[in-house]
Amino acid sequence: EVALKIARKWGYERKHIPSGEALIVCCIGCYHGNTMMTQSLSTEESAIRGCEPLLPGIIKIDFGDASALERVLDDKGGLVCCFIAEPIQGEAGGVIPPQGYLSECA
């Protein structure tokens, strides 16, 4: 939660993203916690049911697809303040990304 708040603050103050337009990119199948912001990253219906409306400004891409991240950055990169991903998705059942995925995303 705090890392995402810092990323948004950095986006507004350092990257000069217009107020209210900062985007966070995350992966489908992720789990980052149970706060409102981290639940907004989730795609797990049981985790978000009853918590709506979720926070805006979240773009969800397929885990392990570095080209999906590249497309988002090509299209909306000026508004993206961070990309958050797990090295291995535990909540999704121990999903390991393709070789080189994390370094491609860095």
Side-chain angles (χ1 to χ4, degrees), residues 27-29 61-65 85-89 95-98 101-102:
C27 295
I28 294 168
I61 63 171
D62 288 329
F63 180 68
D65 186 355
E86 302 159 291
I88 297 173
Q89 285 190 331
V95 179
I96 298 172
Y101 170 67
L102 295 175

Side-chain angles (χ1 to χ4, degrees), residues 69-91:
L69 177 60
E70 187 174 353
R71 287 190 300 275
V72 168
L73 294 176
D74 286 345
D75 187 42
K76 300 182 183 293
L79 299 177
V80 173
C81 63
C82 77
F83 169 60
I84 181 169
E86 302 159 291
I88 297 173
Q89 285 190 331
E91 188 76 7

Side-chain angles (χ1 to χ4, degrees), residues 35-37 39-41 48-56 58:
T35 65
M36 245 351 251
M37 184 173 283
Q39 280 186 313
S40 296
L41 304 176
I48 58 178
R49 187 180 314 114
C51 297
E52 298 91 352
L54 301 175
L55 297 175
I58 310 294

Side-chain angles (χ1 to χ4, degrees), residues 1 10 13 17-18 25-26 36 43 50 54-57 59 61 70 72 79 83 88 94 96 99-100 103-104:
E1 175 91 12
W10 172 86
E13 293 182 1
I17 296 173
V25 181
C26 67
M36 245 351 251
T43 55
L54 301 175
L55 297 175
I59 296 176
I61 63 171
E70 187 174 353
V72 168
L79 299 177
F83 169 60
I88 297 173
I96 298 172
Q99 183 72 30
S103 60
E104 288 179 53

